Amino acid sequence: MKEDYKSKWSKCIGIITDNIGEQKAKTWFGVARPIRFVDKKLTLQIPSRFFYEKYEDEFYGILSSSLRKVFGEDVLLEYEIEIVGRDKDSKVRIAGTKQSPAIKNKYLRSMQSVSPVPDESDTKSPDFDPQLNESLTFENYCVGASNKLPYTIAEYIANNPWKNNFNPFFLYGDVGVGKTHLIQAIGIRVKEGHPRAKVSFVTLRQFQQLYQHATIKKEVPHFINWFQQMDVLLIDDLQELSHKEGTTDAMFAIFNHLHQNGKALIFTCDRPPVELDGLADRLIDRFKWGITEQLQTPDYELRKKILEFKASKNGLELTQPVIELIAEQSTGSIRELEGIVMGILTRSITLNCPITLELAQAVMKHTVRPKAKKQINFEMIVEATAEFYKINPDSIFSKSRQREIADARQVIMYLSNKLTNLSSPVIGQKLNRAHTTVLHGISAVEDRLTYAKDLREALSAIENDLKS
């Protein structure tokens, strides 16, 4: 009996699950339903356009390879989306691309085929594919107090790509704060204003793979020459260049040529140039020629703004209490916020239930990593207590019985017992006191807490300082 397309899709899900993990596969592919297979074209029904973008970007590699393996090399993919739930007339169809934005670059395809050297017999401008994701525009980027400066610089560069005020532009920050989006927006804006400009976005990992391929083929000069033809070069995740001597030499040659000719160079990294290790000083110095700017983790207000934007984009209505809950408890990563929104969307569709605070909380249990508690030690307690009482920390370890110093000493005993794993003998040893004195001090504070408001306020202030 001939295997039907639904069974084949189940095999594809098995392959995908083996590669990305059960939880991730369930979250992103559990809502995709195969509804027809006609003329070698598989149609998947998905809840929103965001799933289409996710499949075609992040999951393109494993999705396309599993489809070709199960359905055959000539399989085509189509998506069907209901704009209005349960309304058949609102369905729209979107064709899946034959190449993902992540691998469709003409030069990258040459890794498995021919040399990337442009055909000099072609009188037209070489057909450079910028490798840009069309959705990562300035218009789709949320701006707040925490990212306004780097956004403003990026937009200036995009509108004035060949002015050297900010060349190179070195953007650094933690994972998931929007660095890639911002530099891709530069590339998209440049192409909008200058369609024939040669703009290329490449991750450092791709750059390294291409360099290795060129080395094997003995085509390193061609590799360098190809990148030296760019008008705007955008390189992502520069920290991966560390300890790659050959690739660094190629980068140095490309950087010098482009900079000397007034071409725009934009880099992202997880740290500033001065903290990069395993790189030649001459290259690090060049990164400092332009402007270095940190892209900070979105603050509370910006997190709310991002949530509202992502929800609206996916046709999801989030109440203000739900938005505030997510913004308060999330770590601030934009990727994390996107994951929460999609988790809420998926769960509400799957369970056919309204979006409540409880639903949002349930999703975040699987999405948000609990914030690590600050480790408090004895030295921190001494410093914070001395600062609160405005006394010299050294006086706490002296034999002084002055009231204010004695009170501070007992507070330290109490807080050390409460906030650390130190035993009373160890606390006593650190304070140059017997452990019985420490026990008496802890007991004295506990007794006074029942009636001494000033002591309660002092302890509260010191604890808040320690935990902030």
Side-chain angles (χ1 to χ4, degrees), residues 56-335:
E56 291 291 300
D57 185 4
E58 182 176 341
F59 298 116
Y60 176 83
I62 184 59
L63 178 58
S64 60
S65 63
S66 61
L67 285 170
R68 288 196 299 269
K69 183 174 183 179
V70 177
F71 285 88
E73 288 293 331
D74 51 357
V75 64
L76 298 174
L77 183 59
E78 178 183 72
Y79 304 97
E80 186 171 286
I81 302 169
E82 290 185 4
I83 301 300
V84 181
R86 305 181 188 280
D87 182 358
K88 294 182 179 180
D89 294 331
S90 71
K91 290 178 181 176
V92 295
R93 292 180 186 174
I94 304 175
T97 59
K98 292 183 180 180
Q99 292 287 349
S100 162
I103 63 168
K104 69 181 180 181
N105 184 289
K106 179 181 179 181
Y107 181 72
L108 295 179
R109 290 203 303 274
S110 72
M111 255 199 318
Q112 291 81 29
S113 53
V114 297
S115 168
V117 182
D119 184 0
E120 294 182 3
S121 65
D122 186 1
T123 57
K124 297 180 181 180
S125 175
D127 181 23
F128 292 109
D129 186 328
Q131 199 181 342
L132 298 170
N133 184 334
E134 295 178 358
S135 67
L136 301 181
T137 64
F138 283 112
E139 290 73 22
N140 287 339
Y141 195 86
C142 295
V143 186
S146 59
N147 66 357
K148 188 174 182 179
L149 180 56
Y151 176 90
T152 302
I153 294 171
E155 193 169 38
Y156 177 87
I157 294 170
N159 294 331
N160 307 274
W162 295 288
K163 287 188 177 180
N164 288 324
N165 306 57
F166 305 115
N167 194 28
F169 180 32
F170 195 102
L171 184 67
Y172 74 95
D174 293 335
V175 174
V177 296
K179 301 187 297 295
T180 302
H181 187 153
L182 196 53
I183 72 165
Q184 285 240 357
I186 294 174
I188 291 169
R189 179 71 62 83
V190 170
K191 289 295 290 182
E192 287 172 350
H194 310 274
R196 292 179 66 80
K198 302 179 188 73
V199 177
S200 182
F201 170 89
V202 63
T203 67
L204 200 284
R205 185 168 297 180
Q206 290 170 331
F207 188 88
Q208 166 70 5
Q209 290 171 345
L210 296 173
Y211 173 78
Q212 290 174 339
H213 176 76
T215 301
I216 293 170
K217 295 288 186 179
K218 297 183 179 180
E219 295 175 346
V220 171
H222 296 331
F223 166 85
I224 293 173
N225 178 65
W226 193 90
F227 279 102
Q228 286 178 337
Q229 296 179 58
M230 295 301 114
D231 295 309
V232 178
L233 181 59
L234 309 145
I235 296 188
D236 204 17
D237 295 327
L238 193 73
Q239 69 276 1
E240 295 188 20
L241 187 61
S242 295
H243 303 290
K244 295 179 175 67
E245 187 174 342
T247 312
T248 299
D249 290 341
M251 177 72 74
F252 186 78
I254 292 165
F255 184 106
N256 280 346
H257 179 86
L258 293 179
H259 197 274
Q260 288 168 8
N261 287 277
K263 307 302 183 180
L265 291 147
I266 296 102
F267 302 94
T268 73
C269 192
D270 66 358
R271 69 203 76 166
V274 293
E275 293 181 13
L276 285 168
D277 58 351
L279 288 187
D281 290 340
R282 58 179 183 161
L283 186 56
I284 292 176
D285 287 341
R286 278 159 174 74
F287 292 144
K288 299 176 187 176
W289 283 357
I291 187 167
T292 297
E293 190 60 43
Q294 181 180 13
L295 192 58
Q296 297 179 354
T297 301
D299 58 23
Y300 175 72
E301 290 301 323
L302 183 54
R303 293 201 293 272
K304 290 200 299 180
K305 196 172 183 178
I306 292 169
L307 286 165
E308 289 168 353
F309 178 82
K310 297 294 182 183
S312 175
K313 181 181 177 182
N314 290 282
L316 192 63
E317 291 187 11
L318 297 181
T319 64
Q320 200 60 33
V322 169
I323 288 174
E324 290 173 356
L325 174 72
I326 299 170
E328 179 67 34
Q329 295 191 11
S330 68
T331 61
S333 163
I334 296 174
R335 293 179 190 173

Side-chain angles (χ1 to χ4, degrees), residues 362-423:
V363 169
M364 285 191 288
K365 283 183 180 179
H366 304 288
T367 309
V368 178
R369 181 179 296 175
K371 296 178 182 178
K373 290 185 178 180
K374 185 177 180 181
Q375 293 296 317
I376 298 171
N377 58 38
F378 177 82
E379 288 72 20
M380 293 165 61
I381 293 172
V382 171
E383 184 179 346
T385 304
E387 184 177 347
F388 179 83
Y389 283 99
K390 295 186 171 29
I391 58 177
N392 187 330
D394 292 339
S395 65
I396 292 169
F397 303 93
S398 69
K399 295 182 179 181
S400 173
R401 294 186 179 181
Q402 185 181 337
R403 176 63 184 273
E404 198 168 45
I405 295 174
D407 283 349
R409 194 180 293 126
Q410 288 190 341
V411 165
I412 290 169
M413 295 173 182
Y414 174 83
L415 290 176
S416 296
N417 180 65
K418 179 182 178 181
L419 303 177
T420 73
N421 294 322
L422 299 178
S423 63

